[in-house]
Amino acid sequence: MKGYIRGAQYTTDPANKDEVLAISAEATGQKAEDFELTYNEHIGEIPATGKPNLVPSSRRWMGRSSSADCPVLIS
Amino acid sequence: MWKPGESASRRRSSQFAPLYVAKEKGYWEPENLDVELTSFKSGTENQQALLGDAIDIGAGGYTEPINLTSQGAPTVIFASAEEGLPHNLVAAKGITDVSQLVGKTIGVSKVGSLSNQITRIALTKAGIDADKVWTSSCAS
């Protein structure tokens, strides 16, 4: 857990964004600019502590029933 | 269980970035852990590998430990990779409303996986009978 938490803390520090994108792109075989789309969408929801919290899990879908309610990643 | 070995991420996506960073920067080395990251095509495969002791730790959806526990293989959630669901419903051009999905087929990672279950929940919350929308296993 210590290693994971260090990783989470480093990942969620905005100052490390470019390096995190480069590392993640290398690990996943994606282009950094493609990975950045999901990074921007999810980075605010990655807990730096790794502490489990299931309460917000339903938040993203609430109130969204049409495409107009959803963030557009690909147009 | 926590021992040197493999940690598997269900998919290689942004919520698992801390794993990639920890691996790349050697954050597990002080604990004498030689961690190998392995990727599966679905949460279903992830939980099968965990059940078969092919991996030590699984990183995936919350449905996997629930399924494993219900199958008599108690598991523990000890960390959270994301406080939310990393899913988006993406449709072909021409489909602009969830109601248009009735009778259509939605691709999920695997039937029974988190993406399958959360799709059914989302459809239900949108007022759609989930049984009137087909699902197909398409891997990640």
Side-chain angles (χ1 to χ4, degrees):
Chain A
M1 274 304 294
K2 290 179 182 177
Y4 177 82
I5 291 172
R6 286 185 68 189
Q9 290 172 339
Y10 195 91
T11 298
T12 53
D13 184 343
N16 302 323
K17 179 179 178 179
D18 289 344
E19 187 180 359
V20 169
L21 290 178
I23 290 171
S24 299
E26 175 69 22
T28 61
Q30 299 179 64
K31 294 178 182 177
E33 57 264 37
D34 291 341
F35 196 89
E36 185 176 12
L37 293 172
T38 57
Y39 173 94
N40 291 338
E41 176 82 356
H42 300 300
I43 191 64
E45 298 178 347
I46 295 176
T49 62
K51 184 179 179 181
N53 182 5
L54 297 180
V55 174
S57 294
S58 61
R59 188 175 64 227
R60 288 170 58 82
W61 280 99
M62 295 303 98
R64 292 176 176 178
S65 60
S66 74
S67 59
D69 300 324
C70 299
V72 176
L73 293 179
I74 301 171
S75 58
Chain B
M1 78 193 99
W2 177 259
K3 60 185 180 182
E6 290 187 322
S7 172
S9 62
R10 180 170 48 83
R11 292 175 302 176
R12 298 208 152 193
S13 51
S14 58
Q15 73 265 39
F16 301 127
L19 293 173
Y20 314 144
V21 170
K23 170 73 173 176
E24 176 66 23
K25 300 188 82 67
Y27 287 164
W28 284 305
E29 292 173 6
E31 312 303 322
N32 294 318
L33 294 173
D34 181 16
V35 176
E36 180 181 348
L37 299 177
T38 303
S39 182
F40 294 108
K41 293 179 180 177
S42 70
T44 307
E45 290 184 10
N46 190 16
Q47 74 180 36
Q48 288 171 344
L50 198 58
L51 190 61
D53 209 23
I55 58 173
D56 302 303
I57 299 166
Y62 61 81
T63 54
E64 291 144 34
I66 293 173
N67 289 339
L68 285 168
T69 300
S70 70
Q71 293 170 21
T75 51
V76 175
I77 299 173
F78 62 87
S80 181
E82 184 171 8
E83 292 184 337
L85 292 167
H87 299 80
N88 288 288
L89 197 57
V90 181
K93 287 184 178 178
I95 296 178
T96 58
D97 192 272
V98 176
S99 63
Q100 294 174 263
L101 295 175
V102 174
K104 300 288 196 305
T105 301
I106 295 179
V108 298
S109 61
K110 198 163 188 175
V111 173
S113 67
L114 174 62
S115 63
N116 185 187
Q117 295 186 33
I118 196 61
T119 298
R120 292 182 60 86
I121 292 171
L123 289 170
T124 301
K125 287 189 175 294
I128 306 297
D129 183 349
D131 290 334
K132 293 183 178 178
V133 179
W134 300 95
T135 53
S136 176
S137 297
C138 300
S140 292

